[in-house]
Structure formats: structure tokens, C-alpha cells
Amino acid sequence: LHLAMDRRCTAVPNDVHDETAPDVDAFLCMMDACPPIRLDAKSVLFCQRNADLACASYPNIRLLRAMLATNPSLALFDSKAYPSGGGTKHPLWCLWEHQQQNYQQEDHKHQKNGFYQMELVLLTALFGELDDSTQDEYRKYILHAACFQRVPLGYFEHVLAEYSSQAYTLDPFGNLPLHYAAQPSWRLQEQAPKNQSISVVVDSQPYTKKVVSALLDCNKMAASVPNQVGRLALHMALESNVLWHKGGLQELVLAYPEALRIRDPKTGLYPVEQSARNSPCRLHLSTLLEVLLASPDMISILVADCDPGVLPSLTQQASDD
């Protein structure tokens, strides 16, 4: 399977663009014979997973659907494979590169097929295994899936332009697209050991700000909408250590200032408390300062609550700095 995929990656474009190309049937036969775990193994020649190679070569919808049906987790974002950090490219980024080539060549047929393939990967990541009927049913949550997966910015802009009405829609999990965008470490939080804090890397903060700003331009009220468990986008952003200026936290507060006075139902903390506990460096302490300046009345509320741990914690951090 690895050798066949390596050959496909080095093939002439005209040999692999055809949906009925004979090598697709050969791939499907080999996949049936392979344990699902082998689809996640890396090629020696390209040092990439078979699923990634299927997208890095000239992608085929039959091949991609069969791989995701065998192992839906192949569609999930892998932090170790994030393009800015090097290593293997996520299938979505490979597919998007092909879309850029199709656009430059004015290949409208394959551009349409490419968007369909990207939607398949997105929706599989959010909802699990899909067939044709469920993919059509869940297409009304494409924008949610794009925010969940942190897709290439150009593709996000395309999805937002095509499906802007979805910025107002709650998905089956009770989330707006803004909830996913505001917590870019969503998938990492699910995989992390208990009590381990997961922060958004600084390099990804500008991306988060652009996506959050675009969603708020489309639906400013989204910042005031709680999700299924009562959490606001601001609570989720603070949990992921999103920064005030660089990460889009300021935009969330300006869209709904009252959120600064609402406890996070998951942690039981006010936003200023969340920010104080999640300030591992000076960069995040500046965010804490901005949160305090935006809600100075919270100090008196915290004193009234008589929480013995919060104010000493704030004082200690200030003196240490």
C-alpha cells in the first residue's frame, strides 16, 4: 500500500485525475486487506501517512471516502503535523494546495470536486463516519467544522462567504462556530491528561483573531450566546489562553462586555479569575491587565465573595513580576 501510494504521488497528473482510474480499485483492494491501523502508518519515501499521501497526490473521492470510512480519526487535526511546525501536512492543507492549482489552471470541474472532498474531511472530523446522505445532512454545519479544524485561512474565508448564515446556527452539540473558533485547542483539550493546561501557541494567535473577528462581523450577537452547557465564547477563549491583542480576546469583550461579569459554568470562575490562573508568562499577564481594566468593578465583587485564594494569587503574581 505504501509503495502504491508513493507511485501515485510521483505520477503524471493526467494518469490520476480520472475518477475511474484503475489504480483506485487496486488501492481499495489493498485497503480491504490491510488492518485499519496501517492507514495511519507513514511512508518511508515521503514520511507521511497514507491518508495524507492520498490528498497530497491527486485526490480521488472514492479513495478518500474509503480511508475515512475505515478510520475516521484520519480526518482529525494533528497538532504534531501542524504546517507551521513542520512535519506531515494535514489532509485538508494538502487538498487546499490542489484547490489553488485548480484555480490557477481554471479547472472548474476538479475545483468543485476538491471542495466536496474538503467538506468530507471536515464533517468526518466533527461528526465521525459519514455516508452520502449524512454528508448532505450535516453540510449545514460546514462553518462549525471549519472552525473546529482550523483550516487554511483562505479556505475559511471561502466557507464563511458560502455559508455565512451558519454563523447563527447551533450544531447538534449546542455550539456556534464562534465557540469552536474561540477555543482553538479544543481537540488538544480532549486529548490532554486531567489537570494539564493546554495553551494556544503564540504563532496561532493571529489566526484565531482573524477567524473570531470575521465571525463577529457576521454575527456580533454570537458572543452573548451560551453553548449547550452555558459557556460563552469568552470563557472558552480564556481557557485556551487566547491573548487580548493578538488572539482576539479584545474583540470578544467588545462584542459582549457583560461576559466579564458572568461565571464560567465549567470552572465556576469569573473571566478575571480565569485569566489570573492561566497567566504562565508576561505575554499573558498583559491580557490579565486588560481584563482588569475592562472590568475594574470585579475586584469589589471578588472581595465580597470572600474567596481567600484569588486576591493573594493576584498580589503574588504582581510582586513576582
Side-chain angles (χ1 to χ4, degrees):
L1 184 60
H2 282 104
L3 290 172
M5 192 65 73
D6 291 347
R7 187 197 67 78
R8 183 178 175 86
C9 285
T10 57
V12 178
N14 292 335
D15 294 338
V16 291
H17 255 322
D18 185 3
E19 291 292 317
T20 61
D23 70 331
V24 174
D25 291 325
F27 275 115
L28 296 178
C29 289
M30 284 186 282
M31 286 171 56
D32 288 338
C34 282
I37 190 64
R38 297 308 301 165
L39 295 177
D40 203 31
K42 288 189 176 182
S43 156
V44 175
L45 179 60
F46 288 95
C47 296
Q48 295 186 11
R49 302 178 305 174
N50 278 312
D52 303 316
L53 289 173
C55 299
S57 63
Y58 297 89
N60 177 283
I61 188 63
R62 292 171 59 207
L63 183 58
L64 185 59
R65 186 180 293 281
M67 283 189 164
L68 293 176
T70 304
N71 187 359
S73 67
L74 294 173
L76 294 174
F77 175 82
D78 181 2
S79 62
K80 297 178 182 177
Y82 192 67
S84 64
T88 305
K89 288 186 178 180
H90 187 276
L92 277 169
W93 292 79
C94 298
L95 290 171
W96 180 244
E97 288 177 358
H98 281 288
Q99 285 296 82
Q100 302 308 298
Q101 296 173 11
N102 292 333
Y103 178 79
Q104 293 172 1
Q105 299 169 4
E106 297 184 355
D107 190 341
H108 301 298
K109 175 186 175 181
H110 289 112
Q111 198 171 12
K112 181 179 179 181
N113 291 339
F115 282 130
Y116 186 81
Q117 292 164 356
M118 294 185 77
E119 289 179 1
L120 172 63
V121 175
L122 277 177
L123 294 175
T124 301
L126 189 55
F127 296 106
E129 184 177 350
L130 301 173
D131 53 31
D132 287 330
S133 61
T134 50
Q135 182 173 350
D136 291 336
E137 176 186 352
Y138 286 136
R139 187 168 282 112
K140 57 188 175 183
Y141 306 118
I142 285 289
L143 185 57
H144 301 72
C147 295
F148 175 77
Q149 276 286 78
R150 296 181 67 75
V151 301
L153 190 58
Y155 180 50
F156 167 77
E157 292 169 349
H158 165 81
V159 171
L160 183 60
E162 290 287 321
Y163 304 99
S164 58
S165 62
Q166 294 182 9
Y168 297 82
T169 305
L170 290 170
D171 70 3
F173 306 115
N175 294 305
L176 292 172
L178 185 65
H179 291 120
Y180 291 115
Q183 189 169 14
S185 59
W186 187 290
R187 173 58 50 184
L188 299 179
Q189 289 284 1
E190 291 185 355
Q191 297 173 343
K194 289 185 177 180
N195 301 322
Q196 178 177 327
S197 176
I198 299 294
S199 301
V200 183
V201 294
V202 175
D203 289 346
S204 71
Q205 297 276 353
Y207 176 98
T208 302
K209 181 175 182 176
K210 289 179 181 178
V211 172
V212 166
S213 297
L215 291 172
L216 288 174
D217 287 341
C218 189
N219 177 17
K220 185 176 181 179
M221 297 300 296
S224 63
V225 177
N227 67 1
Q228 188 169 290
V229 296
R231 304 188 79 195
L232 298 170
L234 179 65
H235 297 140
M236 303 168 88
L238 285 167
E239 184 178 31
S240 289
N241 274 336
V242 171
L243 298 174
W244 181 268
H245 293 292
K246 293 185 177 181
L249 199 67
Q250 181 180 22
E251 284 71 16
L252 289 171
V253 170
L254 291 176
Y256 186 49
E258 190 57 31
L260 291 170
R261 296 160 184 83
I262 299 176
R263 289 183 185 271
D264 179 1
K266 178 181 176 180
T267 63
L269 302 175
Y270 287 108
V272 65
E273 295 176 285
Q274 285 183 283
S275 185
R277 292 196 177 188
N278 298 328
S279 299
C281 65
R282 290 177 181 272
L283 195 61
H284 292 91
L285 283 173
S286 67
T287 294
L288 170 59
L289 174 61
E290 295 291 351
V291 172
L292 282 168
L293 292 174
S295 55
D297 56 306
M298 286 307 304
I299 296 297
S300 60
I301 293 176
L302 293 175
V303 171
D305 284 350
C306 297
D307 187 333
V310 175
L311 290 180
S313 174
L314 290 173
T315 304
Q316 183 61 43
Q317 286 197 32
S319 61
D320 290 344
D321 222 48

